C-alpha cells in the first residue's frame, strides 16, 4: 500500500510564539490519528524548537530548502547533514518559488535532491507547470524534463525513498485549485513515466498534490486514485484547516 502523506509547507511565516500555538493545536487535533503520516516543513531557525515539540508525537518535520553542496565556503547555505542534526525527515526541493524567485534550474534541483538522499533524508521533489506552459499545451513536457533531470543524475532507484509533489504554479497561493481530474491526469502521467523505468517503484511512489488545497476541497482531491496526499501552503498555518486536511487523507 502506498504511503499517504500530508505535509505543511510553512514558507517564510511564523515565529516562536505562533509556531508553539499552531503545533499544540495540531498535536491535540490529530490525537488518535495514529497511523497518519503528517509532516511540517518549517523555516530553518525553528527546526530545534519544532524538533523538541514534535519528537514524541506522530508528526514529522523537515526543511524547505537545502544546499546542493556538502560543506565549504558557501556563506548562508545549509547542508543536508546539518538538517540531519535536527532530525529532519523531509526536505522540499525544487519548489516553484525556489525555481522562479531564486533561479534554481533543473540541474540545481537534481543536485539538491541527491544531497538530501545522500544524507538519508526523504526529498519532497516539486514539479509543476506555469499557466503559460499549460496554455501552450506543454505541461507534460515540462514535468517530464523536471523529472528526467533528477532521475538522470540520481538514478531511478532513489525514487523508492522520495516523495513527488505536483504543484501547478498557477494554483499556488492563488486560490485557484487544479480540478481533481486535472490533478489526477498529471499524477497518472508522472506515475506512468516512472513505471516505464521501474514498475514497482512507480506503484509505491507517493505523489502529493499542492496548490490551494483547503479544508473544503481536500477530500475530493485525495479521492483520486493517483493522489496520495497533499503539500499544503497557506492552510497549513491554520490549525483547524490543517487538521481537517490531514483527516481527509485518511478517510
Ligand atoms: P498554497 O497551499 O498556499 O497554495 O501553497 C501551495 C504550496 O506552494 C505548497 O508547497
Amino acid at each position: 500500500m502506498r504511503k499517504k502523506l500530508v505535509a505543511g509547507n510553512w514558507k517564510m511565516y511564523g515565529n516562536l510564539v505562533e509556531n508553539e500555538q499552531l503545533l499544540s493545536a495540531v498535536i491535540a487535533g490529530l490525537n488518535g490519528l495514529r497511523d497518519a503520516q503528517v509532516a511540517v516543513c518549517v523555516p530553518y531557525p525553528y527546526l530545534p524548537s519544532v524538533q523538541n515539540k514534535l519528537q514524541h508525537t506522530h508528526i514529522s518535520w523537515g526543511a524547505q530548502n537545502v544546499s546542493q553542496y556538502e560543506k565549504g565556503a558557501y556563506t548562508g547555505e545549509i547542508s543536508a547533514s546539518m538538517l540531519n542534526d535536527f532530525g529532519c525527515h523531509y526536505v522540499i526541493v525544487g519548489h516553484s518559488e525556489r525555481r522562479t524567485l531564486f533561479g534554481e534550474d533543473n540541474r540545481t534541483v537534481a543536485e539538491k535532491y541527491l544531497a538530501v538522499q545522500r544524507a538519508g533524508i526523504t526529498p519532497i521533489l516539486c514539479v509543476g507547470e506555469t499557466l503559460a506552459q499549460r496554455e501552450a499545451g506543454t505541461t507534460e513536457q515540462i514535468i517530464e524534463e523536471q523529472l528526467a533531470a533528477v532521475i538522470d543524475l540520481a538514478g531511478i532507484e532513489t525514487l523508492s525513498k522520495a516523495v513527488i509533489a505536483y504543484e501547478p504554479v498557477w494554483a499556488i497561493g492563488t486560490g485557484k485549485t487544479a480540478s481533481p481530474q486535472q490533478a489526477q491526469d498529471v499524477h497518472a502521467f508522472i506515475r506512468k513515466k516512472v513505471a516505464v523505468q521501474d514498475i514497482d517503484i512507480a506503484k509505491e511512489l507517493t505523489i502529493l498534490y499542492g496548490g490551494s488545497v483547503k479544508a473544503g476541497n481536500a477530500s475530493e482531491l485525495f479521492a483520486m486514485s493517483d493522489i496520495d496526499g497533499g503539500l499544503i501552503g497557506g492552510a497549513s498555518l491554520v490549525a483547524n484547516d490543517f487538521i481537517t486536511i490531514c483527516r481527509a487523507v485518511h478517510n
Side-chain angles (χ1 to χ4, degrees), residues 66-136:
V66 68
S67 171
Q68 63 270 50
Y69 304 115
E70 269 176 47
K71 61 167 77 162
Y74 300 109
T75 302
E77 291 292 282
I78 308 277
S79 72
S81 71
M82 293 172 183
L83 298 178
N84 240 339
D85 280 346
F86 295 94
C88 285
H89 300 83
Y90 297 100
V91 180
I92 298 172
V93 294
H95 191 280
S96 71
E97 286 151 16
R98 302 281 337 155
R99 292 178 189 264
T100 51
L101 303 175
F102 299 97
E104 291 185 13
D105 58 15
N106 281 343
R107 171 77 196 182
T108 306
V109 171
E111 287 171 357
K112 290 186 173 201
Y113 171 97
L114 189 57
V116 173
Q117 283 269 349
R118 286 187 171 148
I121 304 175
T122 302
I124 301 178
L125 169 68
C126 299
V127 297
E129 82 288 2
T130 63
L131 185 59
Q133 289 163 339
R134 174 162 282 265
E135 286 174 350

Side-chain angles (χ1 to χ4, degrees), residues 145-168:
E145 285 168 6
Q146 291 170 338
L147 270 181
V150 167
I151 294 172
D152 291 350
L153 183 74
I156 187 78
E157 68 284 356
T158 61
L159 283 179
S160 65
K161 291 202 183 70
V163 170
I164 292 182
Y166 168 55
E167 298 208 311

Side-chain angles (χ1 to χ4, degrees), residues 13-25:
Y13 291 103
N15 57 49
L16 284 174
V17 173
E18 285 175 9
N19 300 349
E20 166 69 27
Q21 290 167 347
L22 175 60
L23 287 178
S24 292

Side-chain angles (χ1 to χ4, degrees), residues 7-9 11 92 95-97 126 167 171-175 210-214 231-236:
N9 174 8
K11 308 195 179 182
I92 298 172
H95 191 280
S96 71
E97 286 151 16
C126 299
E167 298 208 311
I172 294 176
T174 58
S212 299
V213 178
K214 305 289 176 207
L231 184 56
I232 319 299
S236 72

